[in-house]
Amino acid sequence: MKFKPHILAASIAAILPCHGAFAADEAQPARMEEVVVTAPMMLEPLVVTTDPRAPRQPVPAHDGADYLKTIPGFSVIRKGGTDGDPVLRGMAGSRLNILLDGEQILGGCGMRMDPPTAYVFPESYDRVTVIKGPQSVLYGPGNSAGAVLFERTVKRFDQPGWKFNGSLTAGSFGRNDQVADIRAGTPDYYIQGTATRTDSNDYEDGDGRAVHSAYTRWSANGAVGWTPDANTRLELSGAQSDGEAAYGDRSMDGVKFARDNVGLKFEKNRISPLVDKIEAQLYYNYVDHVMDNYTLRTVASPASKMVNNPDRETIGGRAALGLKFTDATRATLGIDYQANKHTLRTAMGAMAASYSSGPRLEDANFSNYGLFGELTHYLNDRDKLIAGLRADNWNAEDKRAATLSTKDAAGLMYSYTNPTSSQSRDKTLTSGFARYERDLAASPTTLYAGLGHSERFPDYWELISANKESIATHSAFDTNPEKTTQLDVGAVYVSSRLTASVSGFYNKIDDYIMIQSGVIKTYAAGNRSITVVRNIDATTWGGEAGVSYALASNWKADATLAYVRGDNDTEDRPLAQLPPLEGRLGLAYDNKAWTVGGLLRLVSEQDRYAIKEGNIVGQDIGKTPGFAVFSLNGGYRPRKGTLISGGIDNLFDKTYAEHISRSGAMITGFDQTTRINEPGRNIWVKLNVALD
Ligand SMILES: [Cu+2]
């Protein structure tokens, strides 16, 4: 077995924990690192890795979705200032598995205020890895679009010592962030503590209109570890976080996003010639979410106060065995488990103040047992086969006595007996993939082609969440699982001056779970407008391309493209909520002390849409025009371990909205806009410090 050293070196440079922002200082590989990240490149088939501590442009909200947005192929459904929903290749929600140190966390909000990324504080992790496509079975069930791993890598201390990483960010609209991470240890033990806080006022779009978008979030993580030898690690970790956020796209704001977490992890390497690794972990995640229409905005009258308090408890575990049959053949076998319970309590008017004394009513619970195996086999020095299989046993229980339906034209709320009350569903789903990778002899190029199949059961938002029905009944609990079959092909070229990659996909989805709003149902009592969950057949195809070229020793240019096109084959119209063609052009100067860069983001118009159709996060509104946004960034490294960076995002103060952004709501004191507009010109500075 032989690795390609250039690819390995570039991958290691890209994933070096803690030091990504300063990697240029330390190793200075021939390939120039981005000081301010604008477009992370794919350096190995289907995998993009990026350093969450590195400054990036445009300056992200301190949450997971905004960090992913810099990666070509990702877009974000904007709702306000934070807590957007990440979308990969037009696929949102549970089609994208988000793992926090291997743990799943599912949000509590029935209105999708808290996607998993709302509980990600990116700078408390060392590494973000994106695996595109259904091309791995190791990271939980249903990752039809891909998997995103936010991970910490705590290295064993060779001798007693400590390390500190911190950052401060300040910017327009009152933005201010503080992050501190300290690790200390001996060869046998370590402790880690991370704290983050971020805060912003309402931002303004290019026309100076304020968007209801202010937020404050904080998090605290801690871990203690035991590393009796270089191959063994036992870690106990915990996290708490909370925040509040204004939403410009709806009639309520999030006033509580409390998360409690405990995790236990064990790993042992090189156990025997056959058993290369054992990993096991257990975790508990609890989310307590409150949203209302009076804390962060003006309510019309005390009688119209509304508050919702859902919570969700998730427990899970995973165990995996890494086997090494020969140097050329390795496998990972494992099981994972996850169970979660969702409850809801609501109050209105005079009762709103005392909502917390009401009982929490369970509306649904879910569980999943997965069994998986993935095999990597080197046919020779240059050819590699990777294949995996996965089976998931899924169970869901509908605990709602009644389904709540949308208001009619007169504002009357309808409530129906739930036709699927206390029903349960049980199903076994299978997923798998096979991929062939070839390193060319004549050039530093890897080619790959893979076929993957993924079966995804409907999530809470597709089965249960308030106001959703099937066409036939007042409940959507009968929604079919979604089956994705996808072909992934591409090439990666990595040399000292030039990095280039292209990844394409063609995807057939049977029973694509579509959410459609504004469907009129006729009843004896009159017409009602409802939101339905429907299974359709869909096709999507597209891809991403990126090139990064060192023009001269101090100059680097890069360009990326991302495109997705999709059809609703059942109804012969475009598939909704797909972002348009997007390109990014960057130019950077770096003399090892100073950097200056420019980023031009070009997005074309989107005239393929399907009004009121979409996913659990949003539905299409209509056509959008194209736009171009230009931003500038710079950095200065006064000494090793210190980086001062800054930028002017949207330099020309352009007013624009992303195609998939949510529509603007009518909120007292704010102008209502068709979509939630992106921020206008804004300036930021960030200081990163690493000490040891
Ligand atoms: Cu909510």
Side-chain angles (χ1 to χ4, degrees):
M1 183 186 74
K2 210 170 85 183
F3 290 103
K4 300 200 85 175
H6 53 272
I7 291 185
L8 197 63
S11 308
I12 290 171
I15 62 172
L16 268 182
C18 324
H19 299 291
F22 317 113
D25 263 359
E26 290 170 2
Q28 188 54 40
R31 207 178 66 85
M32 218 157 76
E33 296 295 323
E34 288 174 287
V35 172
V36 176
V37 175
T38 55
M41 293 282 161
M42 185 173 98
L43 299 175
E44 54 177 304
L46 297 164
V47 176
V48 181
T49 310
T50 184
D51 174 0
R53 298 221 169 92
R56 53 195 65 218
Q57 185 167 48
V59 66
H62 189 54
D63 81 352
D66 260 18
Y67 272 73
L68 294 171
K69 201 162 68 174
T70 48
I71 299 174
F74 272 94
S75 22
V76 169
I77 301 178
R78 187 179 279 280
K79 308 159 189 172
T82 185
D83 301 335
D85 246 86
V87 177
L88 174 59
R89 294 171 162 177
M91 295 292 137
S94 309
R95 296 173 181 120
L96 195 57
N97 266 3
I98 313 272
L99 296 181
L100 284 58
D101 270 325
E103 302 178 1
Q104 279 208 316
I105 176 164
L106 299 166
C109 182
M111 306 300 287
R112 197 67 183 178
M113 279 180 177
D114 61 343
T117 42
Y119 298 98
V120 173
F121 296 82
E123 287 184 69
S124 52
Y125 296 90
D126 297 312
R127 188 169 72 208
V128 183
T129 307
V130 173
I131 301 154
K132 298 179 190 175
Q135 286 288 318
S136 177
V137 293
L138 302 179
Y139 307 108
N143 55 315
S144 55
V148 182
L149 318 177
F150 288 88
E151 291 172 310
R152 287 175 305 122
T153 5
V154 183
K155 277 207 211 132
R156 184 172 189 239
F157 283 80
D158 298 331
Q159 54 191 39
W162 60 275
K163 277 178 185 164
F164 172 83
N165 251 290
S167 76
L168 295 171
T169 305
S172 302
F173 315 122
R175 173 73 184 270
N176 68 100
D177 292 11
Q178 304 82 35
V179 176
D181 176 277
I182 186 147
R183 298 164 192 206
T186 66
D188 286 346
Y189 300 96
Y190 63 82
I191 54 164
Q192 184 200 2
T194 312
T196 75
R197 184 188 166 277
T198 176
D199 177 63
S200 177
N201 299 334
D202 293 332
Y203 69 78
E204 288 173 9
D205 70 8
D207 291 333
R209 277 177 301 216
V211 176
H212 188 53
S213 58
Y215 60 86
T216 305
R217 296 152 47 86
W218 64 263
S219 76
N221 293 56
V224 290
W226 180 48
T227 46
D229 58 61
N231 293 318
T232 311
R233 184 162 79 105
L234 178 68
E235 185 188 87
L236 177 68
S237 61
Q240 273 199 321
S241 61
D242 201 353
E244 58 176 35
Y247 288 72
D249 67 328
R250 60 192 75 194
S251 57
M252 285 181 155
D253 302 305
V255 296
K256 184 178 180 184
F257 293 88
R259 173 202 179 201
D260 291 297
N261 161 256
V262 185
L264 185 67
K265 223 175 191 173
F266 175 73
E267 120 191 357
K268 193 161 175 68
N269 296 308
R270 299 192 187 93
I271 294 159
S272 73
L274 174 68
V275 180
D276 195 42
K277 186 170 193 175
I278 287 180
E279 293 172 281
Q281 76 178 114
L282 287 171
Y283 63 89
Y284 167 86
N285 268 311
Y286 177 69
V287 168
D288 188 8
H289 168 58
V290 178
M291 57 180 163
D292 70 31
N293 65 350
Y294 50 88
T295 305
L296 300 178
R297 66 178 74 193
T298 313
V299 66
S301 71
S304 45
K305 280 187 174 181
M306 285 193 300
V307 56
N308 278 19
N309 176 207
D311 75 348
R312 188 151 176 163
E313 183 187 76
T314 306
I315 55 164
R318 181 181 189 272
L321 198 60
L323 299 173
K324 187 171 151 188
F325 300 111
T326 66
D327 274 351
T329 309
R330 290 158 190 259
T332 303
L333 296 176
I335 49 169
D336 56 23
Y337 169 71
Q338 192 230 94
N340 62 85
K341 190 172 104 168
H342 189 275
T343 80
L344 180 64
R345 63 183 166 198
T346 62
M348 291 164 94
M351 303 300 289
S354 55
Y355 77 88
S356 59
S357 54
R360 291 189 189 269
L361 297 175
E362 183 179 345
D363 58 358
N365 63 62
F366 301 84
S367 69
N368 189 81
Y369 294 89
L371 184 65
F372 56 85
E374 193 165 307
L375 183 81
T376 303
H377 177 65
Y378 286 80
L379 299 162
N380 53 48
D381 281 2
R382 281 196 281 273
D383 297 275
K384 185 163 122 180
L385 267 176
I386 304 130
L389 270 178
R390 177 172 179 105
D392 287 289
N393 182 258
W394 168 75
N395 178 273
E397 251 189 306
D398 184 353
K399 308 286 271 187
R400 299 166 299 169
T403 52
L404 189 68
S405 299
T406 42
K407 292 173 186 171
D408 68 1
L412 263 175
M413 194 70 93
Y414 285 79
S415 184
Y416 291 92
T417 303
N418 177 10
T420 54
S421 185
S422 68
Q423 284 186 13
S424 69
R425 291 179 62 183
D426 209 340
K427 203 157 176 68
T428 300
L429 302 179
T430 51
S431 305
F433 75 94
R435 182 168 79 248
Y436 173 70
E437 295 182 12
R438 176 177 195 120
D439 295 340
L440 297 186
S443 82
T445 304
T446 304
L447 304 178
Y448 69 88
L451 187 66
H453 178 77
S454 160
E455 298 186 350
R456 182 180 75 84
F457 44 77
D459 61 27
Y460 173 81
W461 295 269
E462 292 160 336
L463 279 185
I464 301 289
S465 187
N467 299 334
K468 297 206 180 88
E469 303 186 0
S470 71
I471 293 284
T473 75
H474 300 306
S475 162
F477 195 66
D478 58 355
T479 305
N480 287 335
E482 184 174 283
K483 281 83 76 180
T484 299
T485 305
Q486 181 167 312
L487 178 69
D488 277 283
V489 293
V492 182
Y493 175 96
V494 181
S495 74
S496 58
R497 287 184 71 179
L498 174 68
T499 302
S501 69
V502 56
S503 53
F505 68 96
Y506 180 82
N507 183 10
K508 279 274 180 202
I509 311 174
D510 288 338
D511 284 332
Y512 174 90
I513 301 173
M514 186 215 278
I515 310 291
Q516 185 174 358
S517 61
V519 175
I520 304 298
K521 258 196 198 178
T522 307
Y523 293 88
N527 284 350
R528 290 185 313 121
S529 171
I530 56 164
T531 299
V532 299
V533 183
R534 295 202 285 128
N535 286 111
I536 59 161
D537 292 337
T539 305
T540 63
W541 59 269
E544 301 82 40
V547 55
S548 170
Y549 182 63
L551 302 163
S553 62
N554 292 338
W555 287 92
K556 191 190 77 165
D558 54 50
T560 65
L561 266 184
Y563 182 66
V564 55
R565 185 183 167 107
D567 291 293
N568 169 346
D569 299 325
T570 304
E571 280 128 356
D572 199 20
R573 57 175 174 251
L575 190 66
Q577 288 285 286
L578 299 188
L581 174 69
E582 169 167 347
R584 279 177 234 183
L585 297 170
L587 183 65
Y589 170 83
D590 185 340
N591 72 1
K592 315 254 195 316
W594 289 91
T595 68
V596 184
L599 171 69
L600 178 63
R601 179 170 174 249
L602 299 160
V603 176
S604 79
E605 63 165 19
Q606 179 61 290
D607 56 6
R608 291 176 52 80
Y609 56 86
I611 287 182
K612 294 188 174 171
E613 294 184 352
N615 50 48
I616 57 170
V617 192
Q619 288 82 38
D620 274 6
I621 301 164
K623 186 175 165 166
T624 43
F627 56 83
V629 179
F630 184 69
S631 302
L632 285 174
N633 63 68
Y636 173 57
R637 301 183 194 90
R639 58 189 176 81
K640 185 175 178 256
T642 304
L643 174 68
I644 300 161
S645 57
I648 308 173
D649 297 346
N650 192 0
L651 181 68
F652 300 113
D653 217 5
K654 171 97 186 154
T655 302
Y656 68 106
E658 305 289 346
H659 176 73
I660 58 173
S661 281
R662 300 254 315 165
S663 49
M666 182 115 71
I667 299 168
T668 308
F670 294 85
D671 291 339
Q672 188 174 14
T673 50
T674 308
R675 289 183 177 74
I676 304 293
N677 288 336
E678 297 292 310
R681 182 189 305 123
N682 65 96
I683 302 169
W684 54 271
V685 287
K686 178 167 184 170
L687 168 71
N688 285 67
V689 176
L691 303 170
D692 50 18

